[in-house]
Amino acid sequence: MIYVGIDVAKDKHDCCILNQDADPLFPVFTIENNLAGYEQLYERIQSVSKDLTEIKVGLEATGHYSYNILRSLLDHGYHTYVINPLHTNLYRKGQSLRKTKTDKVDARSIAEMLVTDKTLKPYTNTSYHNEELKSLTRYRFDKVRERAKLKSSIARLVNILFPELEELVPTLHRPTVYALLEEMPGASFVASSNLTHLKSLLEKASKGHYQRDKAIEIRDAAQTSVGSVMPAKSMELKHTINLIRILTEEIDEIESSIKKIVDKYDSPIMTIPGINYRMGAMILAEIGDFSRFNNADQILAYAGMSPSTYQSGHLESSYAHMEKRGSRYLRYALFNATRYVCIWDERFRLYLTRKRAEGKHYYVAISHAAKKLLRTIYRMEMTHTAYQPL
């Protein structure tokens, strides 16, 4: 067997090639991150073996820097292993007491892990193509978080400019309120507005839900409002509303693309009551190829949801906290999906109730239900069977 370790960087990659006895076949060498560099690597590999079944190539999961070299390796038919950087870091530290970290040392450590760790599983084309869905779900996550911050700014600005408005509407974050504040960003604007125009604006934005009575109520509140007259804050309010509209359109476009990909997957996960396209897609994207995990507990560890363990001599920790050392996106998706599954599915609702009856905090009980949900998802994906409710 030939083992190749690649330490990935932005402009260059350091490579180490070992034989089955972990002896280097070449001194650790550096290739450029371009086509000529890739060809140089393949020439070195083929000079020692042309049998692809006898070659294992490993590299760290370094985000977007590894996409191109990974795609090239898969296209050339190499058995490629993508290793968690935490794993390689611990392995490297275990080889020496000295604090030695260089790109060449990392490349050798990756190659040596391929020699010694027989539990590693090769990266598949399924996992690579799954990166598109992962990119979309993470992109949507960031956009939604950005929009949430802007919505908090809306509440802050309204509290300055027209604090009474919040008591007159169910929520500030609805098209009717945004239409009103975009044209009249402050109590002073509303107070001096023409009642007929105000009524027409509200009626059109609310599709007939708000009539003359609501227009009078809002204008009367504006005329006695303690809101400040601050042109700078009014401008900020208008711009913030416009940014929220733009972000919402972008999120809708992203979700449309996500739905198309998930429909192609035809995953049984979508048959579980309470799991929608958003959380279902994020779970599928973060886990990727289910076959690379031997059991659901490995996915729990990957999500950082397995309990930490500390025992030494007669000392044993009484509180097993969640590790939270994995994909925070998967952890987020599982928690949020579980909350809705516990509402819509009787089996999980009863399970949550039982955990709560044991005296567990709501979020602790949800974490238990999330683990149960993940084990259910794993079994469904591996057997390709739909969910069977009670």
Side-chain angles (χ1 to χ4, degrees):
M1 293 295 298
I2 303 300
Y3 303 93
V4 183
I6 304 175
D7 183 70
V8 176
K10 179 182 178 182
D11 300 316
K12 53 92 177 177
H13 308 312
D14 290 279
C15 308
C16 177
I17 303 179
L18 306 178
N19 62 18
Q20 60 187 9
D21 297 320
D23 297 323
L25 299 177
F26 300 96
V28 179
F29 58 96
T30 302
I31 63 170
E32 297 295 322
N33 186 24
N34 54 35
L35 184 60
Y38 295 176
E39 292 299 332
Q40 179 187 350
L41 171 63
Y42 300 146
E43 287 175 7
R44 292 281 183 97
I45 296 174
Q46 291 170 8
S47 68
V48 293
S49 177
K50 296 186 182 300
D51 187 352
L52 295 178
T53 62
E54 294 184 354
I55 301 170
K56 291 184 178 182
V57 184
L59 48 86
E60 285 183 333
T62 54
H64 64 281
Y65 289 139
S66 61
Y67 284 171
N68 296 333
I69 183 69
L70 178 59
R71 176 69 270 168
S72 180
L73 288 165
L74 292 174
D75 287 342
H76 281 75
Y78 291 105
H79 294 289
T80 309
Y81 298 75
V82 179
I83 307 173
N84 190 319
L86 286 174
H87 197 179
T88 57
N89 187 41
L90 291 172
Y91 178 86
R92 174 174 48 78
K93 289 180 177 179
Q95 303 307 302
S96 173
L97 294 177
R98 298 179 62 187
K99 289 186 177 181
T100 305
K101 185 192 184 305
T102 66
D103 293 340
K104 295 184 183 300
V105 170
D106 286 347
R108 168 134 195 171
S109 296
I110 293 170
E112 289 177 349
M113 285 185 67
L114 293 176
V115 178
T116 59
D117 194 339
K118 305 303 180 184
T119 63
L120 295 174
K121 291 190 176 182
Y123 196 80
T124 63
N125 271 304
T126 301
S127 297
Y128 182 85
H129 292 301
N130 189 67
E131 292 295 335
E132 182 179 4
L133 182 60
K134 184 187 291 187
S135 296
L136 284 170
T137 53
R138 291 188 176 187
Y139 186 43
R140 179 194 171 275
F141 180 88
D142 292 337
K143 288 289 183 182
V144 170
R145 187 170 55 178
E146 186 179 348
R147 185 177 61 179
K149 290 180 180 178
L150 291 175
K151 287 184 175 181
S152 296
S153 295
I154 293 287
R156 172 179 57 83
L157 292 167
V158 169
N159 193 48
I160 295 171
L161 299 168
F162 191 0
E164 294 80 8
L165 179 62
E166 197 166 4
E167 300 296 327
L168 303 177
V169 293
T171 175
L172 294 175
H173 309 295
R174 59 191 314 168
T176 306
V177 179
Y178 283 177
L180 171 65
L181 293 175
E182 199 167 24
E183 184 171 332
M184 304 175 188
S188 60
F189 293 92
V190 178
S192 60
S193 66
N194 180 275
L195 182 60
T196 302
H197 176 67
L198 179 60
K199 170 188 170 295
S200 176
L201 172 65
L202 293 173
E203 187 175 6
K204 182 179 179 181
S206 66
K207 297 181 179 179
H209 182 70
Y210 288 162
Q211 299 291 332
R212 181 182 176 84
D213 292 344
K214 178 58 73 172
I216 293 173
E217 184 182 14
I218 291 176
R219 195 178 71 164
D220 288 347
Q223 289 174 344
T224 59
S225 175
V226 297
S228 303
V229 179
M230 300 179 66
K233 296 297 182 185
S234 295
M235 181 189 296
E236 184 182 349
L237 179 59
K238 290 170 63 176
H239 290 178
T240 304
I241 292 172
N242 187 49
L243 287 173
I244 288 175
R245 282 211 179 96
I246 294 172
L247 279 173
T248 300
E249 291 175 1
E250 291 175 349
I251 291 169
D252 290 342
E253 184 180 357
I254 296 167
E255 289 179 352
S256 177
S257 297
I258 289 174
K259 187 176 184 301
K260 290 177 182 178
I261 296 176
V262 173
D263 286 340
K264 289 181 182 178
Y265 273 47
D266 193 27
S267 170
I269 189 177
M270 303 308 299
T271 63
I272 301 176
I275 293 186
N276 58 16
Y277 279 99
R278 297 164 186 167
M279 293 302 105
M282 186 171 280
I283 292 171
L284 292 172
E286 293 300 319
I287 296 175
D289 188 356
F290 280 78
S291 63
R292 66 193 179 106
F293 298 98
N294 293 326
N295 50 57
D297 287 342
Q298 289 186 355
I299 305 181
L300 284 173
Y302 174 68
M305 294 179 63
S306 55
S308 58
T309 305
Y310 185 86
Q311 186 274 328
S312 178
H314 295 290
L315 175 64
E316 186 168 348
S317 175
S318 302
Y319 300 98
H321 297 286
M322 190 181 294
E323 286 183 339
K324 294 186 179 180
R325 292 185 65 187
S327 171
R328 64 188 178 97
Y329 298 99
L330 178 57
R331 198 160 56 246
Y332 166 85
L334 284 171
F335 263 82
N336 279 276
T338 302
R339 290 171 61 189
Y340 288 100
V341 170
C342 288
I343 294 173
W344 291 98
D345 182 74
E346 185 178 359
R347 178 185 286 112
F348 281 90
R349 184 167 60 249
L350 293 173
Y351 183 80
L352 180 66
T353 302
R354 185 165 72 250
K355 290 298 178 182
R356 293 285 283 144
E358 293 173 3
K360 298 186 186 297
H361 187 276
Y362 173 76
Y363 287 111
V364 175
I366 284 290
S367 71
H368 283 275
K371 294 174 184 177
K372 177 180 175 66
L373 176 62
L374 183 56
R375 293 187 178 99
T376 301
I377 290 172
Y378 181 80
R379 184 178 65 253
M380 291 168 57
E381 287 288 338
M382 297 304 293
T383 59
H384 303 287
T385 55
Y387 182 73
Q388 299 295 328
L390 289 177

